[in-house]
Amino acid sequence: MFDSVGPHVVMAASSDENHPPENITDGNTKTFWISTGMFPQEFVLRFAEPTQISGVTVDSYNVKHLKIDKNTTQQASQFEPVAEKEFECTEGQLQSNYISLNGSSATQLRFIIASGYDHFVSVHRVSVKY
Amino acid sequence: MVKLRARCLVVGDAAVGKSALCHTFYSDGTLFQKNYSMTTGVELIMKCVNIPESSDSVELYIIDSAGKETLVETCEKMWGQPSLLCLVFDLTSQQSFANCSCWMERMAAHCKGLQIQGVLVGNKSDLSARREVQESVAKEWAQSQGLEYHETSAKEMENCDAPFRRLAQAFHSLYQQRRDTIQNLGPA
């Protein structure tokens, strides 16, 4: 179950009811959230309070270009870019990428999947390093 | 229940009936604009298609793009990354059929290496006396390009749903396949 201080998904651009966005933060790479068509795709993680974050590890499949924005308020406006990364294609197995956020403080992180190696991409786990 | 979203690009030479086909599909065969009005940019039409024998649906974001040569370059900037292709030609114009391979090349440049499922549509099937492209020829070329072939008459509201419904179904099948693949993936 949720780590009480860990982030929760508060928004996702796609939803298959059998693969809800909550699967991103359940700590299990067997469960996943899947996009249901077109790019960009995004989801937002919210922390209970402003939190210093060293980086995040994203376990995914067929994600090509990922951008991360952050904000430091409870409102979902005024995001600013903090990091972006081009993932390698890993056919037949999950991608696992660490993205440094340099200890930035954030209340919300927005993950924007700008492009993919396929029409549909999945995110299995986002783990946060504090 | 899943709602998928697909960006469906509609291309082909000017005046082959792309907009008429899109509008006929959009209006469930109640609207055929008799006066020709050339599309000079890109028109976006959204329609949701239910997938038979499931509770799933596909929202088609149909991008009806101008076919006139001088406008194409500007329009291409608005194509984005297509999920599906609907390539249209005029059954009474051999030239519009011959140009289909150019349209395929143009489209490929926007696909970023992704495979795009598509249909080839021969429109104006009502004008049988003026037909210049035989069904067998069009079908063969479509197959060589991995496209499914359909003939329509937007004017007579004939068969205009079929190409779009097939595209929606193809996208839905692809989704199911990919989802199954992801379910069976090994760890990183």
Side-chain angles (χ1 to χ4, degrees):
Chain A
M1 278 311 289
F2 291 125
D3 177 348
S4 61
V5 294
H8 295 191
V9 183
V10 289
M11 194 287 286
S14 276
S15 178
D16 176 333
E17 61 186 7
N18 292 318
H19 302 280
E22 290 75 25
N23 287 350
I24 295 170
T25 49
D26 68 358
N28 182 353
T29 55
K30 291 253 180 235
T31 62
F32 57 89
W33 166 79
I34 181 169
S35 74
T36 57
M38 302 212 295
F39 292 98
Q41 290 284 333
E42 59 182 70
F43 58 90
V44 175
L45 295 190
R46 183 182 290 167
F47 297 84
E49 54 190 33
T51 307
Q52 294 224 319
I53 301 161
S54 319
V56 290
T57 301
V58 179
D59 294 291
S60 57
Y61 192 58
N62 275 332
V63 172
K64 190 171 184 185
H65 196 88
L66 178 78
K67 294 189 233 181
I68 302 178
D69 293 354
K70 66 154 193 174
N71 95 357
T72 45
T73 66
Q74 284 294 334
Q75 271 97 50
S77 57
Q78 292 176 323
F79 278 89
E80 53 178 292
V82 275
E84 58 184 293
K85 186 165 182 173
E86 186 99 2
F87 290 8
E88 299 215 353
C89 184
T90 55
E91 215 175 308
Q93 60 174 39
L94 288 182
Q95 300 164 307
S96 188
N97 287 274
Y98 179 74
I99 300 156
S100 171
L101 301 182
N102 295 316
S104 347
S105 176
T107 315
Q108 304 187 81
L109 290 178
R110 175 163 70 186
F111 294 73
I112 302 164
I113 302 165
S115 60
Y117 290 104
D118 197 358
H119 294 279
F120 307 106
V121 301
S122 56
V123 178
H124 297 243
R125 183 174 62 188
V126 172
S127 15
V128 180
K129 195 175 154 208
Y130 299 99
Chain B
M1 194 198 79
V2 185
K3 182 172 268 187
L4 303 178
R5 294 196 186 105
R7 185 183 269 270
C8 175
L9 186 63
V10 181
V11 291
D13 278 8
V16 298
K18 297 181 293 299
S19 302
L21 183 73
C22 292
H23 288 158
T24 306
F25 168 64
Y26 178 73
S27 67
D28 292 314
T30 58
L31 186 85
F32 175 74
Q33 198 180 342
K34 289 204 177 69
N35 298 323
Y36 177 63
S37 152
M38 188 171 76
T39 307
T40 53
V42 162
E43 197 187 355
L44 175 67
I45 295 170
M46 200 279 279
K47 184 162 174 166
C48 192
V49 178
N50 293 320
I51 302 300
E53 290 162 41
S54 80
S55 55
D56 302 343
S57 54
V58 179
E59 267 179 5
L60 291 178
Y61 290 75
I62 299 170
I63 314 271
D64 175 19
S65 184
K68 190 153 175 67
E69 193 58 44
T70 48
L71 301 170
V72 174
E73 212 174 306
T74 320
C75 292
E76 276 193 59
K77 294 182 182 125
M78 289 176 273
W79 286 3
Q81 191 178 351
S83 326
L84 296 167
L85 169 73
C86 179
L87 175 54
V88 190
F89 71 97
D90 176 352
L91 287 165
T92 71
S93 158
Q94 174 62 37
Q95 190 59 52
S96 74
F97 176 61
N99 285 341
C100 284
S101 46
C102 294
W103 286 107
M104 285 299 282
E105 280 170 32
R106 275 197 187 112
M107 208 270 312
H110 292 263
C111 295
K112 300 182 181 167
L114 290 197
Q115 240 203 325
I116 306 292
Q117 301 181 86
V119 290
L120 177 70
V121 178
N123 190 34
K124 309 195 188 178
S125 62
D126 51 292
L127 301 175
S128 49
R130 284 166 47 193
R131 183 190 270 263
E132 288 184 3
V133 182
Q134 293 314 309
E135 187 179 348
S136 56
V137 177
K139 214 173 204 167
E140 197 177 319
W141 185 79
Q143 264 173 9
S144 75
Q145 303 292 312
L147 305 172
E148 193 179 281
Y149 183 60
H150 293 264
E151 291 196 353
T152 59
S153 164
K155 179 169 169 280
E156 300 299 329
M157 322 268 174
E158 257 176 40
N159 211 27
C160 297
D161 275 20
F164 293 106
R165 292 197 181 279
R166 289 294 299 154
L167 284 172
Q169 280 169 19
F171 198 65
H172 183 253
S173 308
L174 183 73
Y175 176 73
Q176 290 182 314
Q177 276 174 29
R178 295 303 194 257
R179 193 182 51 188
D180 291 351
T181 305
I182 291 170
Q183 233 143 11
N184 297 314
L185 283 178

